[in-house]
Structures are given as structure tokens and as C-alpha cells.
């Protein structure tokens, strides 16, 4: 029955190919066309709001990392900044479906626009997923091999790893241009993507086996052992304090894993939020590919719920990382001082004044 529905969708789309798309356009959430304006107002508002939050949030992360050198003491800052740039490009790319919902012509054929948009978003989110897996491996090495960590993890190796992540992410979704199937539902905001570009169970399985499953396995394995080691270490310290209360001060200096554990908790929250927001999307992706479920509303909601993760990292950082909060405060102070200087220059003659402090921490 589901297979016949897919066949009917394709036949109807082919038979109406000569008809103006705007005449048969329906909004993704199923509300249909609006009588006053031929625009999906609610969907457009959702995407525009997410676009603004994603761009603003990730620009903030990038500037704070630039203004807070202490954050660069962690090798994971390489991966976090890579994720921030990838998420920033996700936000910029989200302007494309907004133009489609507004029926604004991009000057490119819809099928090509849909394919390119779906490919770019898939690659960018693959980069984020791979970076999260690499971050978990980095923290695992920092806690399990603290003495040889600096020899194992060097800036040169980190840069090579990031380059390989981008190359791998670009290659894994490339077969979608050669008829293998659809890489994801990010482009289903376009009529052609939703009705003519169907998913393939084989290509979906290919992506799951080479990207989703390995990344999830690495994250689960590393964080399980990280917290297991930290728990054992904390238990040993508590036992020593109970046995030798007079040496409590000495024992407190042995909590070497405590900062690593706190930072690992921040990264674990980021990773958990990522997979929580992406899990509905991945489940729907598998069900749609196997021809079990076809629901435009679920497709829209799961897709943009997953994309909303691009905004969450800056929120988690600001709530969990004191160094990031300090950098954010310094950045805000620097911007406020700059604005006040401009206003002072406009209202009165310039006077010699002390230079504002750098945003460095």
C-alpha cells in the first residue's frame, strides 16, 4: 500500500510538470495556501527565526573564542570552532528554503537548488557529528593517557584530522548526485525534493553504516569509559580522605581529573543534545526510506528540530563553561565601550582618552 502511494506521488508529479508549481503548492505543515497571501507564513517564520538564532549564536561562539585565549588551551577548541563555522554555514544556507517558501526565484532550476541545498546541509551536519566523535576521543585520550597525551595529540595532527573530516563528509554524500538516493530531508521544503526525489533504503543504510552508527558508537564508548574512570578516581580520593583526614589538604591537590571531568561534562551535554535533537530525524529518515511512513508534517518538524541544534551549542557553552562566560562578558564590554566611544565622538569634541582594554582574557 505504501509502495503504491509513492508511485502515485511520482505519476501525479510527472503529469503536472507543465503546470505552474505555485498553483499546486501546499505548505509543509499541511495548512495549505493562505487566502490573503500565497505564502506559508508559519513555516517561513519558523525558518527565519531559526536562521537568525543560528547565525547570531555561532558568530558569538566564533568571536568569543577569538577573544578568549584561555579557551585555546583545550585542544578540543579546534573541533568546537570547526563546528561553529559549519553551523554558521548551516544558518546561511537556511536562507535558501526561506526564499522558496516566499516563492522568490533563485534563478536556478528547482531540482538543482534542492539537490545542492540538501547536499550542503548534509555535509555540514556530518562535519558536526564527526567533530563530536573526535572530541570524545580527545577527552578519552586526555584522561586515559595523561602522560603521553601531548605527544599523541598535536596541533598538526588536529588540523589534519579536521581536513579529513571535511573530505570524508563531502565524499560520503556525493553518490546522491548519481541517482543513489536522497541524503536527507533538508530539501523537502522544495516541491521537487518532496515529490520527485525519493529516498533509497540502500543509500540510507550506507549513510547509517558509514556515518551515524560509527559516530554514535565512538561517543558512547568513550564517554562511558571517561565517566567510569572519573568515578573510580573520585572514589579513591574519598577513601583516602576518610582514611587519612589529617592529609585532606594533600589529597585535595590530587584531584587532577576534576577539571577534565567538568569539561568532559560540558562536551557530553553538547553531544547529548545533538543526538537527542537528531534522533527523531534519523528515525523518520529510516522509516521513510523503507516506505513505512510518509508524512510531510513529520518531515518538516524533524528536519528543523535537527537543524535547530546548530543554535544549541552556544547556549550550552554560556550555561556550562565559566571561561566561555568570561569571554562573552569581555566581548560584550568591548562592544559597549566601542559604542560609547562612537556616541561621545558624535556629541562632543574628541578628547584624549585611555584605550579600551583588549578583549583578551
Amino acid at each position: 500500500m505504501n509502495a503504491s502511494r509513492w508511485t502515485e506521488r511520482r505519476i501525479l508529479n510527472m503529469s503536472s510538470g507543465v503546470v505552474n508549481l505555485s498553483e499546486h503548492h501546499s505548505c509543509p505543515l499541511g495548512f495549505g495556501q493562505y487566502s490573503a497571501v500565497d505564502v506559508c507564513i508559519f513555516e517561513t517564520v519558523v525558518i527565519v527565526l531559526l536562521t537568525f538564532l543560528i547565525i547570531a549564536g555561532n558568530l558569538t561562539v566564533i568571536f568569543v573564542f577569538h577573544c578568549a585565549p584561555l579557551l585555546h588551551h583545550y585542544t578540543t577548541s579546534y573541533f568546537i570552532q570547526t563546528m561553529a563555522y559549519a553551523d554558521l554555514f548551516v544558518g546561511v544556507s537556511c536562507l535558501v528554503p526561506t526564499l522558496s517558501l516566499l516563492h522568490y526565484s533563485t534563478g536556478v532550476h528547482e531540482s538543482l537548488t534542492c539537490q545542492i541545498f540538501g547536499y550542503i546541509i548534509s555535509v555540514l551536519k556530518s562535519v558536526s557529528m564527526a567533530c563530536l566523535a573526535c572530541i570524545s576521543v580527545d577527552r578519552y585520550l586526555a584522561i586515559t593517557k595523561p602522560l603521553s597525551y601531548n605527544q599523541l595529540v598535536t596541533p598538526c595532527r588536529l588540523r589534519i584530522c579536521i581536513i579529513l573530516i571535511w573530505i570524508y563528509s563531502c565524499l560520503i554524500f556525493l553518490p546522491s548526485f548519481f541517482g543513489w538516493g536522497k541524503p536527507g530531508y533538508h530539501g523537502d521544503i522544495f516541491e521537487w525534493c518532496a515529490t520527485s526525489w525519493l529516498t533509497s533504503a540502500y543509500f540510507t543504510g550506507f549513510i547509517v553504516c558509514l556515518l551515524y552508527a560509527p559516530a554514535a558508537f565512538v561517543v558512547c564508548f568513550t564517554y562511558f569509559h571517561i565517566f567510569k574512570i572519573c568515578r573510580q578516581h573520585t572514589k579513591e580520593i574519598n577513601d583516602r580522605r576518610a582514611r587519612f583526614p589529617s592529609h585532606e589538604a594533600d589529597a585535595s591537590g590530587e584531584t587532577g581529573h576534576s577539571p577534565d571531568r567538568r569539561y568532559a561534562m560540558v562536551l557530553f551535554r553538547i553531544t547529548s543534545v545533538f543526538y537527542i535533537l537528531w534522533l527523531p530525524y534519523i528515525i523518520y529518515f529510516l522509516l521513510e526510506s523503507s516506505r513505512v511512513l510518509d508524512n510531510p508534517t513529520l518531515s518538516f518538524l524533524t528536519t528543523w528540530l535537527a537543524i535547530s541544534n546548530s543554535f544549541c551549542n552556544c547556549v550550552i557553552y554560556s550555561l556550562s563553561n565559566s571561561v566561555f562566560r568570561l569571554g562573552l562578558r569581555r566581548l560584550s564590554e568591548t562592544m559597549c565601550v566601542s559604542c560609547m566611544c562612537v556616541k561621545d565622538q558624535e556629541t562632543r569634541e574628541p578628547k584624549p582618552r585611555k584605550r579600551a582594554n583588549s578583549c583578551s582574557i
Side-chain angles (χ1 to χ4, degrees):
M1 181 176 177
N2 283 313
S4 63
R5 285 173 59 198
W6 258 262
T7 307
E8 290 173 6
R9 279 173 56 186
R10 176 163 282 186
I11 293 173
L12 288 172
N13 183 73
M14 293 174 63
S15 63
S16 61
V18 295
V19 183
N20 189 356
L21 284 173
S22 64
E23 293 178 7
H24 294 271
H25 179 78
S26 61
C27 297
L29 293 181
F31 298 137
Q33 296 180 352
Y34 296 93
S35 56
V37 196
D38 186 21
V39 171
C40 299
I41 297 175
F42 182 77
E43 292 84 347
T44 305
V45 169
V46 170
I47 296 178
V48 169
L49 179 61
L50 277 178
T51 301
F52 172 77
L53 292 175
I54 290 170
I55 293 176
N58 286 285
L59 280 176
T60 302
V61 172
I62 292 168
F63 283 129
V64 168
F65 267 89
H66 174 71
C67 293
L70 282 179
L71 287 169
H72 294 278
H73 292 177
Y74 298 102
T75 53
T76 49
S77 64
Y78 287 86
F79 297 112
I80 292 170
Q81 289 181 83
T82 301
M83 288 172 56
Y85 281 108
D87 289 337
L88 176 63
F89 292 140
V90 168
V92 174
S93 302
C94 288
L95 295 172
V96 177
T98 305
L99 296 177
S100 174
L101 284 175
L102 295 173
H103 305 311
Y104 181 84
S105 176
T106 58
V108 184
H109 196 275
E110 187 184 50
S111 61
L112 182 60
T113 303
C114 160
Q115 287 179 309
I116 293 175
F117 174 76
Y119 174 78
I120 289 175
I121 295 292
S122 298
V123 168
L124 294 174
K125 299 316 296 181
S126 171
V127 169
S128 295
M129 191 173 291
C131 282
L132 288 172
C134 290
I135 286 172
S136 66
V137 173
D138 175 86
R139 291 298 88 198
Y140 177 77
L141 293 175
I143 290 179
T144 58
K145 301 181 183 297
L147 298 179
S148 58
Y149 174 76
N150 290 331
Q151 286 73 37
L152 291 172
V153 182
T154 63
C156 180
R157 290 179 179 176
L158 289 172
R159 293 188 185 99
I160 292 173
C161 182
I162 290 171
I163 292 172
L164 291 177
I165 286 174
W166 280 98
I167 293 174
Y168 184 79
S169 299
C170 290
L171 290 177
I172 195 172
F173 291 103
L174 203 57
S176 63
F177 285 103
F178 301 101
W180 277 38
K182 187 160 57 174
Y185 294 93
H186 315 293
D188 275 13
I189 208 75
F190 300 96
E191 192 77 12
W192 187 87
C193 251
T195 58
S196 298
W197 198 15
L198 303 182
T199 53
S200 167
Y202 296 107
F203 186 51
T204 302
F206 171 78
I207 294 173
V208 169
C209 292
L210 293 185
L211 178 62
Y212 297 153
F217 174 78
V218 168
V219 167
C220 293
F221 175 84
T222 52
Y223 278 113
F224 172 78
H225 284 84
I226 285 171
F227 292 122
K228 181 180 178 182
I229 293 170
C230 290
R231 189 168 56 250
Q232 289 175 349
H233 186 77
T234 303
K235 183 180 178 182
E236 290 174 3
I237 292 175
N238 292 335
D239 291 343
R240 184 173 300 181
R241 285 178 178 174
R243 238 183 264 175
F244 308 103
S246 59
H247 298 283
E248 184 176 350
D250 296 335
S252 63
E254 297 176 7
T255 57
H257 286 296
S258 182
D260 285 332
R261 183 179 182 180
R262 286 196 298 269
Y263 193 57
M265 278 300 300
V266 175
L267 299 174
F268 179 72
R269 290 188 193 108
I270 293 173
T271 306
S272 300
V273 170
F274 181 91
Y275 279 98
I276 288 171
L277 294 178
W278 273 86
L279 188 60
Y281 170 86
I282 295 172
I283 292 174
Y284 182 82
F285 191 21
L286 293 171
L287 293 176
E288 171 81 8
S289 302
S290 57
R291 304 296 186 264
V292 174
L293 184 63
D294 174 29
N295 190 311
T297 301
L298 282 178
S299 173
F300 179 87
L301 293 176
T302 55
T303 296
W304 293 98
L305 178 66
I307 290 178
S308 69
N309 170 260
S310 298
F311 166 69
C312 292
N313 291 345
C314 61
V315 177
I316 297 172
Y317 272 128
S318 60
L319 295 176
S320 305
N321 194 312
S322 59
V323 179
F324 184 87
R325 288 197 300 271
L326 181 58
L328 184 60
R329 188 167 68 247
R330 291 290 179 88
L331 177 63
S332 303
E333 290 173 357
T334 303
M335 293 178 64
C336 290
V337 168
S338 302
C339 293
M340 290 181 66
C341 288
V342 172
K343 288 183 179 180
D344 288 342
Q345 289 176 359
E346 291 176 353
T347 55
R348 58 174 181 264
E349 294 182 2
K351 296 180 182 179
R353 60 176 68 236
K354 295 173 75 175
R355 282 178 103 179
N357 291 330
S358 167
C359 61
S360 301
I361 301 174

